[in-house]
Amino acid sequence: MSDEGVGPAGWPVRVRVPVEPVEAAREADAADAAARHRALAVRGPLFGVAAQGKDDGPRWRVVVEVTHSCPQQARDGLNSLLWFRAKDDAKSPAQRRALLAAVARLEKEYVDELTVLDTRYRVVRAEEYAAVDAHGDIETPRPTDPEPLTPDWSPGAGARSPRVDDDLVLDPAAPLSPLQAAERLSLRSLAYTGARFPGPVLRDSARALETHPDVLLLPTTFLVVERSGTEHWTPGSGLQATAHDARRTLAFALSRLEPRRRGLIPFDAERDVDAHTVVAENTSPAVGELAMFAEAAERLRAGRLDQVEVHGTVSRIARVRRLLRWGPDGPEGPRPSDVNSQEPQVLHPRLDEDGTVHFEQPAEDEPPS
């Protein structure tokens, strides 16, 4: 069942009333969460790349996940995507030349949009935010968020886990549940305010409300956040597609990374040496401290815990959301005030139009392919 509502900017929103039991449970879960968490903490922008084919209509497909902290990282992702397509997928020298021409631009220029072989590619910008309660605590995973039936804690599990934004289609006309529609409409007016933001950032944020009046909500992600004493929550990991992936990331950090960072395990120790193995061997003077890390990691593995504390640092699995602003020509790109933390650069060996990779440096008088 669908209904169509119109928000304050005149952009329609299709609403579908949940009828399946799972959908209804998810909607009730969202209502409970909204009642507990009435404020938002906005972290800042994330960047990725979306593509639009000639037959896609208003829809775009995410081809570089919207998880990067600066626009150039997303451009580098597009650089690699096009280089490998030229190497592995091009059907002719002409197709390969077109792809390599785009790669050559990305190696030298801050390119936010280009068209290659009838496909538009655009660096897109999203806002990362999380819901917080009256005490400032960030929302944790909900009971209806997807979880594996059999959690995999093995070292190689990350490579088999779902990727953030994998095969994601951005469709402004896709139907939403009532609460999703309410969230989307309420966030259309989200803009930066306050003296802590520079003037150009505030002006770009206000302008975006006019140029891109609608928003799309991207799939929920999860990450580890940390807090010591009365400090604010700070990120302790990258974004993950599921809460279990974030828990596994935290367990790995507690058992292997944090002991090395604190000097409890040498940095050059073998990869399989962790807090568990050292405690079991009982050969280190730091065995007592390591036991606390091992015990916390084991508690994460034993149950679906969303928070642990070790040595005064609280680690929490946070439920993170992202919104992408949308205008008449599709998703918003980088703003003039967005900062690049790196410059364009050559990322891959030279590839010629026949698909041969040249690992040697070209001679100075040799033209680039």
Side-chain angles (χ1 to χ4, degrees), residues 46-48 62 64-67 124-129 164-165 168-171 180 183 187 215-221 239 319-326 331:
L46 295 172
F47 302 89
V62 173
V64 175
E65 65 276 7
V66 189
T67 61
V124 297
R125 182 191 197 277
E127 249 3 298
E128 180 184 1
Y129 65 100
V164 174
D165 297 335
L168 176 63
V169 174
L170 305 174
D171 184 0
Q180 287 173 332
E183 183 176 2
L187 291 173
V215 299
L216 261 66
L217 305 181
L218 301 184
T220 299
T221 56
L239 297 182
R319 189 180 197 272
V320 178
R321 287 124 85 178
R322 298 165 296 158
L323 67 86
L324 189 153
R325 299 207 71 89
W326 200 273

Side-chain angles (χ1 to χ4, degrees), residues 24-65:
R26 190 177 295 119
E27 189 77 349
D29 199 10
D32 291 342
R36 293 192 304 270
H37 303 87
R38 295 183 174 274
L40 298 180
V42 179
R43 182 182 172 194
L46 295 172
F47 302 89
V49 178
Q52 184 187 48
K54 62 180 181 179
D55 299 323
D56 288 339
R59 294 178 295 276
W60 293 68
R61 294 171 290 108
V62 173
V63 294
V64 175
E65 65 276 7

Side-chain angles (χ1 to χ4, degrees), residues 42-104:
V42 179
R43 182 182 172 194
L46 295 172
F47 302 89
V49 178
Q52 184 187 48
K54 62 180 181 179
D55 299 323
D56 288 339
R59 294 178 295 276
W60 293 68
R61 294 171 290 108
V62 173
V63 294
V64 175
E65 65 276 7
V66 189
T67 61
H68 299 282
S69 59
C70 88
Q72 187 55 42
Q73 292 174 339
R75 296 186 197 105
D76 288 346
L78 178 59
N79 182 329
S80 291
L81 176 72
L82 297 179
W83 189 90
F84 279 104
R85 285 187 177 173
K87 174 178 174 290
D88 301 326
D89 301 331
K91 305 300 183 185
S92 67
Q95 286 190 358
R96 191 170 288 113
R97 281 195 299 270
L99 290 162
L100 291 176
V103 170

